[in-house]
Amino acid sequence: MPERLFSLAALTVLELSPPEMVEVAARAGYDGVGLRLIPATSVEHHFPLAHDTALRRQTRERLRDTGLRVVDIEILRLKPETRVGEDFARILEIGAELGASEVLVAGNDEDTARTIDNFATLCELARPLGLNPHLEFMPWTGVKNLIEAHRIAENVRKAGHDNACLLVDAFHFNRSASRLEELSRVPREWMRYSQLCDVAGPIPEDMAEILREARQERCFPGDGDIDLPALLATLPRDLPLSLEIPTERLRRQGVSALARARLALETSRQLVETRVP
């Protein structure tokens, strides 16, 4: 069986600049990183990698020096007002220049038909660059669960865009009440990487609390209540894993980004190496 690839997601160490993130990932023992070219929110701390040529040069140098690869770029939001070409063409070009192969996409639009059209356009734009857009379902967006994401990806693939993919994030899989039976029906070629974390407790009734958990207080694998062994057993066994585990409480306690990245990787490796009955 091929060795599993582990990538450090930007949200896990969001306080770091991209070059610092690459350095920390290398020191912690990761194989790759995910770079955030577009901020997820208007208030988060963000380094303008897409607009700062010096920062991109420094990031490429650290990637070259460490031998790490860029697994994915994020986060491209499909909104009602989105103009895919105008909004994302340069972002995709930069992602390709950095060596990425995957693109994280969110469907922030309640109009499913428009989301399908925009996702198809994005896939068409990404194809010549060797990029594979992954639609990530999140319970507070217009693509709320795995069933909805599956339906959209299926429509886009039927239209001839075989680089249309799905992204399964363990947190969103749990908080959207998606099921393993649904996941087992997703074709292997629709998934090129997945995001791993854990979360404690039942699904909150308040969506604002789910959002807070997602962005600030996830758990390292094994410290929460998701049946991660069953999830990993249902996903393709060799799927690269992006470790997206923001732990704001630990950051405020002074636990360094390097220490948090190491904990994320150590607990994830222990989980993967555990034999699933």
Side-chain angles (χ1 to χ4, degrees), residues 7-259:
S7 177
L8 178 61
L11 190 58
T12 304
V13 289
L14 201 57
E15 73 269 32
L16 299 182
S17 70
E20 291 171 333
M21 180 186 173
V22 173
E23 181 66 29
V24 161
R27 292 177 61 189
Y30 286 80
D31 306 291
V33 295
L35 297 178
R36 184 164 284 192
L37 299 185
I38 302 175
T41 72
S42 61
V43 298
E44 76 174 31
H45 186 61
H46 179 66
F47 295 90
L49 186 61
H51 306 289
D52 189 330
T53 56
L55 190 61
R56 288 205 302 278
R57 183 182 66 252
Q58 294 165 12
T59 303
R60 286 195 300 268
E61 290 172 352
R62 296 312 299 136
L63 289 166
R64 183 194 63 228
D65 293 344
T66 60
L68 265 63
R69 57 171 286 194
V70 177
V71 172
D72 69 313
I73 57 169
E74 57 172 322
I75 174 174
L76 280 61
R77 294 192 181 278
L78 302 178
K79 304 176 183 179
E81 67 273 18
T82 293
R83 299 295 178 265
V84 173
E86 296 175 18
D87 296 343
F88 299 138
R90 182 56 185 149
I91 296 296
L92 294 174
E93 290 173 357
I94 292 171
E97 291 168 4
L98 290 167
S101 57
E102 322 304 331
V103 183
L104 191 156
V105 182
N108 291 91
D109 191 344
E110 296 295 334
D111 187 327
T112 300
R114 186 166 52 209
T115 297
I116 290 171
D117 288 343
N118 280 333
F119 191 42
T121 302
L122 181 65
C123 290
E124 183 175 4
L125 195 63
R127 172 183 290 284
L129 299 170
L131 295 169
N132 303 277
H134 283 65
L135 184 63
E136 181 177 19
F137 57 93
M138 310 177 202
W140 59 85
T141 68
V143 186
K144 295 175 173 53
N145 54 49
L146 177 57
I147 289 177
E148 294 180 6
H150 190 147
R151 185 179 306 120
I152 291 169
E154 184 174 43
N155 275 275
V156 173
R157 281 185 160 258
K158 284 181 177 178
H161 305 287
D162 61 4
N163 61 334
C165 297
L166 286 180
L167 179 60
V168 176
D169 179 318
F171 179 92
H172 301 311
F173 186 86
N174 175 272
R175 282 344 196 195
S176 67
S178 295
R179 298 182 300 155
L180 293 174
E181 296 92 324
E182 299 158 1
L183 181 57
S184 68
R185 292 193 286 270
V186 178
R188 166 66 181 88
E189 62 271 19
W190 292 21
M191 298 179 287
R192 292 174 51 91
Y193 79 115
S194 184
Q195 289 184 327
L196 186 65
C197 69
D198 211 335
V199 64
I203 301 173
E205 295 182 3
D206 183 7
M207 191 62 71
E209 175 59 15
I210 295 178
L211 264 166
R212 188 196 69 81
E213 289 179 330
R215 293 173 177 169
Q216 299 183 21
E217 292 299 340
R218 303 191 192 193
C219 300
F220 298 116
D223 291 345
D225 298 308
I226 302 177
D227 188 352
L228 291 177
L231 179 62
L232 288 179
T234 308
L235 288 167
R237 295 300 181 96
D238 60 346
L239 208 62
L241 296 176
S242 171
L243 308 187
E244 186 174 66
I245 313 175
T247 49
E248 182 64 15
R249 177 179 53 83
L250 292 183
R251 190 189 71 80
R252 289 175 177 172
Q253 291 173 357
V255 180
S256 71
L258 176 59

